[in-house]
Amino acid sequence: MTEYDKSAQDRVLIFDTTLRDGEQSPGATMSLSEKIEIALLLDEMGVDIIEAGFPIASEGDFHAVSEIAKLVKTAAVCGLSRSSNADIDRAAAALKDAVNPRIHTFIATSPVHMQYKLQMSPEEVIEAVQSSVTRARSHTDNVQWSAEDATRTEPDFLCRAVETAIKAGARTINIPDTVGYTAPGESAKIISMLKERVPGIDEVVISTHCHNDLGMAVANAIAAVEAGARQVECTINGLGERAGNAALEEVVMAMRVRNDILPYRTGIDTTRIIQASRLVSTATGFPVQFNKAVVGKNAFAHEAGIHQDGMLKNAGTYEIMRPEDIGLVETSLVMGKHSGRAALRAKLSDLGYELGDNALKAVFVKFKELADRKKEIYDDDLIALMSDNATNAAHDHLQVKSLRVVCGTDGPQSAELVLTIDGSDHNTTATGDGPVDATFNAVKALVPHSARLQLYQVQAVTEGTDAQATVSVRMEEGGKLVTGQSSDTDTVVASAKAYVNALNKLMVRREKTAPEALAH
Ligand code: KIV
Ligand code: ZN
């Protein structure tokens, strides 16, 4: 079955680009195993098309797209390409084992992009549209074409380019608001215009791809759907270039909660939303903003007395959707030192984490270590444990084996560190301006590098002096950003692990080269 069988008038296809546009978010590098885990969850939760990467961008991207193509059973798997034959052929090669491969080829159509970025005339761009779609169609029937910066494109030229793509065989036409510039009324108008003016438009699926620079991505996507778009491109947690993309969870829940005025259906099992949100946050090291719509920690919290009173009388007073609709389940199971593996599995499942036996075994060890140090284990502690990239990545090049610091009023503070580097232990002692500085100096002595520390952030997971601290570390090397994260009841240990986690990601990132604006 292809997504074209899902052709009922009210059916909106969900195209998830967390692994491609989302990963282009500065600092959001994901490992291969993280990408595979996310892709499999997206498939299970009913995403129609998974954009798995940009195969020509790097060996790593190519490999990720090919592995995901082999493993995904139901969704179409998509690879991005510019308009050159080399890009398109590379995407096709990466997708060769997919049950339903889709090639997504794009070129910019706005005057500013054509003149300055591509340095091509409009005629040359039209030729590239024709030749790129034709080339992609030589590999698969399932071809998507995008007019990059469509919302700043001359209407007549946009119609001409779309018509060219349709004639060359594109089956999905994507209209991106690349720079997050449009507003809902205009977003709808562009889709209506294409529907009125472009021959053959009714034979293809119109898609919308909105960036969030002015905070209107979801509103613009929904407006496009109201005007006739039937594919929404979006990402989990709204991840993406700059201010991000339309958030999948917001688009899907808006259509579900306001189905009275937005009478559209998606194939998404909304009870998997919280699991997907946490998985993506863990993989990227990007925390979800507390007041983020649908998936933020405060999205279902009611603090004002008047709200609590209303909630107690009837949840409908202040709640427009139920926590369980997105997979949040409240339980009374209190976890602690004596809790067993079955209780941990049940609790994690309530929190949206379904673990196999091996993964559970590893998490159980960490849980016991934490329970030895902390009397009560709250839900947030378990979420922090599950989100601890450093703890989860047993296969990483670098791992913190042990750390001892000397700190206090009389300096210098020092750190004695043992790091496991590719399986063998290395140790050193370093001093610094405080225990964290000393620890980072010790890491740097064992793993010399020129990356610059851009952000060091500590956040308490729960209340109390025995609370875990979640530490985020962002580093920059040659214009590339990575974010490492770790949690521990010892803030300095969490700092060391977060720093090492960022370095591990940097190693993955090094091979990824940003493709330049290429036209043909
Ligand atoms: O924002 C954009 O224009 C894109 C295209 C490649 C679809 O991400
Ligand atoms: Zn984009």
Side-chain angles (χ1 to χ4, degrees):
M1 185 165 92
T2 73
E3 68 269 27
Y4 292 97
D5 299 321
K6 302 163 188 167
S7 58
Q9 268 310 301
D10 62 345
R11 177 72 158 85
V12 173
L13 300 171
I14 295 294
F15 176 115
D16 181 280
T17 183
T18 306
L19 300 174
R20 197 278 299 168
D21 210 318
E23 216 216 7
Q24 282 172 222
S25 230
T29 308
M30 292 173 250
S31 68
L32 175 63
S33 58
E34 288 164 340
K35 287 183 182 180
I36 289 175
E37 202 180 341
I38 291 170
L40 294 178
L41 176 56
L42 294 174
D43 194 25
E44 271 176 38
M45 72 192 271
V47 163
D48 299 288
I49 304 107
I50 299 170
E51 188 161 55
F54 194 170
I56 204 154
S58 69
E59 281 303 320
D61 255 41
F62 181 88
H63 191 50
V65 176
S66 356
E67 290 305 303
I68 290 168
K70 280 179 207 150
L71 295 168
V72 164
K73 297 282 175 287
T74 310
V77 177
C78 176
L80 183 68
S81 70
R82 292 162 297 181
S83 55
S84 72
N85 287 348
D87 267 52
I88 294 165
D89 295 350
R90 192 80 177 136
L95 293 167
K96 79 174 173 28
D97 294 320
V99 176
N100 183 6
R102 173 180 291 193
I103 297 178
H104 175 191
T105 179
F106 74 98
I107 192 165
T109 50
S110 65
V112 64
H113 275 240
M114 291 192 290
Q115 183 177 350
Y116 295 104
K117 188 183 78 171
L118 300 175
Q119 296 176 342
M120 288 170 75
S121 69
E123 286 314 311
E124 287 172 321
V125 167
I126 292 291
E127 258 170 51
V129 174
Q130 149 76 31
S131 62
S132 58
V133 174
T134 305
R135 182 76 172 201
R137 276 298 304 257
S138 72
H139 294 291
T140 172
D141 289 349
N142 194 347
V143 172
Q144 167 168 331
W145 178 76
S146 285
E148 191 189 10
D149 207 16
T151 55
R152 293 194 299 167
T153 296
E154 282 269 296
D156 287 352
F157 188 68
L158 184 62
C159 288
R160 197 173 152 214
V162 168
E163 185 179 347
T164 307
I166 294 173
K167 282 197 176 128
R171 287 170 52 178
T172 301
I173 296 292
N174 184 37
I175 304 299
D177 182 26
T178 303
V179 290
Y181 180 71
T182 200
E186 188 181 59
S187 173
K189 237 161 108 181
I190 294 171
I191 304 299
S192 301
M193 173 194 74
L194 294 173
K195 281 184 78 75
E196 268 164 34
R197 293 182 46 187
V198 178
I201 194 83
D202 291 335
E203 309 308 314
V204 302
V205 174
I206 304 178
S207 168
T208 176
H209 174 112
C210 299
H211 280 269
N212 204 30
D213 299 64
L214 293 172
M216 292 192 279
V218 171
N220 289 336
I222 300 261
V225 169
E226 288 183 288
R230 285 295 177 269
Q231 173 177 294
V232 175
E233 301 202 359
C234 46
T235 58
I236 302 290
N237 298 339
L239 203 66
E241 287 261 30
R242 304 180 312 279
N245 290 64
L248 179 148
E249 62 276 9
E250 294 177 28
V251 170
V252 168
M253 289 311 286
M255 289 180 193
R256 179 177 159 154
V257 173
R258 294 312 314 274
N259 202 256
D260 53 333
I261 54 166
L262 300 171
Y264 312 106
R265 264 180 324 116
T266 71
I268 300 296
D269 171 2
T270 63
T271 65
R272 310 299 292 274
I273 282 178
I274 199 70
Q275 188 185 356
S277 168
R278 287 178 182 154
L279 184 60
V280 169
S281 170
T282 302
T284 54
F286 278 32
V288 177
Q289 158 195 339
F290 280 14
N291 60 335
K292 163 83 179 61
V294 183
V295 291
K297 193 172 166 164
N298 291 353
F300 294 94
H302 302 272
E303 192 158 295
I306 191 166
H307 287 205
Q308 287 176 344
D309 181 51
M311 284 292 293
L312 288 172
K313 288 176 177 146
N314 182 328
T317 49
Y318 286 100
E319 218 164 59
I320 58 165
M321 51 193 157
R322 296 168 312 159
E324 53 270 35
D325 294 340
I326 61 151
L328 267 175
V329 186
E330 283 211 17
T331 64
S332 52
L333 200 55
V334 178
M335 302 298 290
K337 198 175 169 147
H338 302 295
S339 306
R341 211 176 287 192
L344 181 65
R345 188 196 286 276
K347 184 73 182 179
L348 288 175
S349 166
D350 286 345
L351 292 174
Y353 301 100
E354 301 298 341
L355 300 189
D357 289 346
N358 285 345
L360 181 71
K361 208 166 149 188
V363 172
F364 190 65
V365 173
K366 300 286 165 198
F367 164 73
K368 282 289 178 189
E369 279 170 19
L370 182 62
D372 276 341
R373 286 181 279 151
K374 199 170 182 298
K375 197 161 160 263
E376 279 161 328
I377 308 287
Y378 301 103
D379 288 0
D380 284 342
D381 285 314
L382 291 175
I383 293 167
L385 194 75
M386 293 304 297
S387 307
D388 190 340
N389 297 357
T391 297
N392 297 334
H395 50 274
D396 280 345
H397 293 293
L398 314 172
Q399 274 164 348
V400 174
K401 183 160 188 193
S402 70
L403 174 69
R404 179 176 298 277
V405 293
V406 177
C407 62
T409 50
D410 301 321
Q413 288 77 23
S414 64
E416 206 181 305
L417 174 73
V418 183
L419 266 192
T420 307
I421 305 177
D422 290 327
S424 54
D425 292 348
H426 301 254
N427 63 312
T428 193
T429 302
T431 56
D433 223 349
V436 174
D437 192 44
T439 302
F440 284 14
N441 287 340
V443 174
K444 206 163 172 184
L446 292 176
V447 187
H449 61 84
S450 57
R452 232 168 29 88
L453 184 69
Q454 273 214 340
L455 170 94
Y456 169 73
Q457 187 174 286
V458 185
Q459 200 174 44
V461 173
T462 56
E463 287 141 31
T465 48
D466 68 344
Q468 289 193 88
T470 295
V471 175
S472 303
V473 165
R474 187 182 304 154
M475 303 184 67
E476 184 267 341
E477 185 185 63
K480 308 253 166 61
L481 290 171
V482 290
T483 309
Q485 205 184 63
S486 188
S487 305
D488 200 282
T489 49
D490 185 318
T491 309
V492 188
V493 171
S495 304
K497 288 185 176 171
Y499 187 48
V500 163
N501 180 232
L503 286 178
N504 278 317
K505 289 192 167 190
L506 212 52
M507 292 176 175
V508 176
R509 185 88 215 185
R510 272 181 194 146
E511 56 157 312
K512 208 178 162 87
T513 49
E516 281 156 25
L518 183 95
H520 11 211

